[in-house]
Structures are given as C-alpha cells and as structure tokens.
Amino acid sequence: MTASSTPTALLLATDLSARTDRALARALQLARQWNARLVVATVLPDAAATGITGGLLSSAPAVDDGQARQLAERRLQRLLEGDADDLQVELRIGHGH
C-alpha cells in the first residue's frame, strides 16, 4: 500500500470468544503499521434472544443489558490492556440478534 492509500481506521469485529486474541494481535499490528485508529466492536444478544437461549446454552445466571454491556467493556479493556497504549482505540458495544 502506498502512503496515500493507507487506511486511517481499522475495524475489528469480535464475539469476545477465546480466539479473539489472535485477531486482536493482528489488528493492533496493522493499526501501528498504518498509524490508524482501531475500532473494536462487538454485538451483544438482545434480552429476548438471551431469555430464550440462555438456559439452553449456559448455566450462568442471566444478566440485564446494562450488566452485559459492562462485562463486555471490561473484557475488551482487559484484552487491550498494555497492548494499545500507543494507539487511538475506540470500543463499540451494540445490541442485536
């Protein structure tokens, strides 16, 4: 890529699974290489979907949307901890199906 066509922002969409670390490491590498802003995004299931599938897929107690958002934000911050201090990083947490 030439300097004029280098991206100014990079999007990492994640489901917050254990494999997120590999994609995050690559995104951080590219963001540094391109001097680009990194946007890390995840979409949490809506309350209706969680209520229907929560008991089938997990033995963990149900959490409300606010708690889920806080948990997701903390997970993303832990993943970035110490690795993104030199980068402009934006966290985006949405709700959906």
Side-chain angles (χ1 to χ4, degrees):
M1 287 191 146
T2 64
S4 62
S5 65
T6 302
T8 58
L10 183 68
L11 172 65
L12 171 65
T14 177
D15 63 359
L16 302 176
S17 68
R19 292 184 171 191
T20 296
D21 59 341
R22 294 181 69 193
L24 178 60
R26 181 67 172 145
L28 289 167
Q29 177 188 20
L30 290 172
R32 281 190 186 92
Q33 180 180 333
W34 295 334
N35 194 29
R37 176 174 55 102
L38 177 61
V39 179
V40 182
T42 192
V43 177
L44 303 173
D46 64 13
T50 303
I52 294 168
T53 61
L56 300 173
L57 302 177
S58 172
S59 60
V63 295
D64 66 32
D65 286 346
Q67 290 170 314
R69 184 180 184 84
Q70 287 176 343
L71 291 170
E73 189 168 344
R74 279 195 295 250
R75 168 98 167 109
L76 289 171
Q77 288 171 342
R78 277 194 309 270
L79 287 169
L80 291 164
E81 195 170 83
D83 290 332
D85 295 339
D86 58 332
L87 295 172
Q88 181 184 357
V89 178
E90 181 180 335
L91 302 180
R92 295 283 180 113
I93 301 170
H95 293 273
H97 322 298

